[in-house]
Amino acid sequence: MVSQPEIKSLPPVFDRSILLRQAMDDKALEDEVLGLFLQQLAELAAKDWASLDLNFEMHTLKGSAAVMGALELEAIGRNWHEFGIDLQGRVIHAISAFQAAAA
């Protein structure tokens, strides 16, 4: 029997203080950047995952999520190889959790 790699526990979904720091405590800028990130996430979720360049998409997700304070999404983007066939489901679930946390 082949053992599956152990997937580390994921960090919190969202640390708004990171986003606030990136936006220099400017609420209007925070809202604008958050809206753009939510749009990016919706576009990623809607893509045909069978044809994605996962290396590119996960690298992009990792960087964007880190800047936004989307810690769970950043961890998934950083460790995406560990999720195997569960990657799409994990990303979609984390996107939903982030959307709820950011609301």
Side-chain angles (χ1 to χ4, degrees):
M1 183 170 135
V2 176
S3 65
Q4 293 292 323
E6 182 179 327
I7 298 173
K8 301 169 198 79
S9 63
L10 295 173
V13 172
F14 184 34
D15 182 344
R16 189 174 293 271
S17 70
I18 294 171
L19 175 55
L20 284 169
R21 186 172 52 250
Q22 294 294 334
M24 299 171 287
D25 293 320
D26 182 328
K27 180 66 174 148
L29 180 57
E30 175 194 355
D31 291 343
E32 181 179 351
V33 172
L34 181 59
L36 292 170
F37 184 61
L38 290 169
Q39 181 180 348
Q40 176 189 355
L41 294 178
E43 290 169 3
L44 176 61
K47 287 184 177 182
D48 174 13
W49 281 67
S51 63
L52 286 183
D53 175 352
L54 288 175
N55 195 40
F56 172 80
E57 296 292 345
M58 293 301 103
H59 179 77
T60 301
L61 177 64
K62 174 182 69 173
S64 298
V67 169
M68 296 299 301
L71 301 179
E72 181 180 13
L73 284 164
E74 187 273 331
I76 291 170
R78 183 174 8 92
N79 300 304
W80 69 274
H81 289 96
E82 296 178 20
F83 293 98
I85 61 172
D86 294 331
L87 177 62
Q88 181 180 5
R90 289 287 199 133
V91 170
I92 300 301
H93 181 269
I95 287 172
S96 295
F98 179 82
Q99 290 167 330

